[in-house]
């Protein structure tokens, strides 16, 4: 571990925390060697426990012997950049809420068949683009027994900095990968599929028929328009959450928590 005092916003090595966009972090060097940024000691610990490789840290000076001390003891041969709160805020573009950032190497995506092998409940995220919603869905999935998550390429990257922060590190706990094929291909892996959508023939989310399915994929749609006609009609079931006071729908993150709990494996 090498502690380096930051004296300039253009100091070599710190660009990973400042000038690189999310897209540049994702494609750093090549797609198999991308980077993500984890924020706060708690989230960084979860990433380390999940086996992610740390590359560099940005840490307020007071946290070196404080909240981040146990983390730094585990860091071998990586630079730890430090400085006053003000210069770190100028570098990152915002005040560090927990005073610590860590850059990690992304893991290579797994095959859909690999992460769904032997599991009973998975979620499919189709076109959800808000990073806060992605983080909240992952947090609910981890807490409520979802065993894997598949995302369509039109969805927000789970390694987005805000998604990681909102998930409180749950993105590192639930196996996930990209679903490049249609939702209907999940049938080939032994899953029944249920689309979360408001249609005339939708079942209530607590339907015994849904709960009895041995392997079920819960399909969640984009924040505005929901799931497309093609996706809904490719699914075996459509389900709705019964509501009161003429409310027609919930935010996708809130709806996911209800669905995950009601349709959890038995």
């Amino acid at each position: 571990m090498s502690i380096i005092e930051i004296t300039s916003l253009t100091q070599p090595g710190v660009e990973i925390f400042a000038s690189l966009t999310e897209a540049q972090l994702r494609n750093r060097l090549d797609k198999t060697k991308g980077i993500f940024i984890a924020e706060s000691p708690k989230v960084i610990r979860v990433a380390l426990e999940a086996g992610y490789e740390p590359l560099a840290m940005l840490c307020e000076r007071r946290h070196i012997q404080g909240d981040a001390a146990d983390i730094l003891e585990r860091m071998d041969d990586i630079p730890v950049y430090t400085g006053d709160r003000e210069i770190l805020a100028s570098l990152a573009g915002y005040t560090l809420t927990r005073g610590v950032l860590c850059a990690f190497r992304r893991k290579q995506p797994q095959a859909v068949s690999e992460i769904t092998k032997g599991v009973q409940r998975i979620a499919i995220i189709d076109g959800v683009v808000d990073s806060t919603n992605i983080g909240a869905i992952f947090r609910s999935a981890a807490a409520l027994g979802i065993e894997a998550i598949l995302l369509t390429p039109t969805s927000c990257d789970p390694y987005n900095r805000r998604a990681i922060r909102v998930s409180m590190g749950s993105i590192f706990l639930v196996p996930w990968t990209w679903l490049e094929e249609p939702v209907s291909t999940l049938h080939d892996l032994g899953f029944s599929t249920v689309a979360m959508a408001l249609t005339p023939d939708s079942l209530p989310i607590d339907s015994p028929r849904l709960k009895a399915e041995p392997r079920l994929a819960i399909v969640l749609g984009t924040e505005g328009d929901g799931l497309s006609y093609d996706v809904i009609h490719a699914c075996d079931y459509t389900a709705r959450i019964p509501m009161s006071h003429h409310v027609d729908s919930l935010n996708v993150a809130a709806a996911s928590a209800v669905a995950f709990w009601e349709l959890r494996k038995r």
Side-chain angles (χ1 to χ4, degrees), residues 118-180:
V119 305
Q120 298 177 43
R121 292 294 186 266
I122 67 172
I124 299 176
I125 300 175
D126 182 22
V128 175
V129 298
D130 184 89
S131 58
T132 298
N133 283 335
I134 291 291
I137 292 170
F138 267 84
R139 190 171 183 181
S140 293
L144 300 174
I146 294 299
E147 298 163 284
I149 293 178
L150 309 178
L151 301 99
T152 63
T154 54
S155 297
C156 173
D157 178 17
Y159 284 132
N160 174 281
R161 187 181 304 191
R162 181 167 180 79
I164 293 171
R165 184 166 67 248
V166 172
S167 81
M168 294 301 293
S170 296
I171 282 166
F172 312 130
L173 302 177
V174 183
W176 65 270
T177 195
W178 299 103
L179 179 65
E180 305 283 352

Side-chain angles (χ1 to χ4, degrees), residues 77-124:
D77 302 324
I78 72 165
V80 177
Y81 299 99
T82 191
D84 294 329
R85 187 178 181 86
E86 293 73 19
I87 194 169
L88 298 191
S90 298
L91 179 67
Y94 59 92
T95 300
L96 306 188
T97 306
R98 300 297 180 186
V100 188
L101 300 179
C102 188
F104 285 92
R105 181 79 68 200
R106 290 172 179 247
K107 292 184 179 180
Q108 293 190 36
Q110 296 177 284
V112 171
S113 59
E114 186 177 350
I115 72 165
T116 59
K117 185 177 180 180
V119 305
Q120 298 177 43
R121 292 294 186 266
I122 67 172
I124 299 176

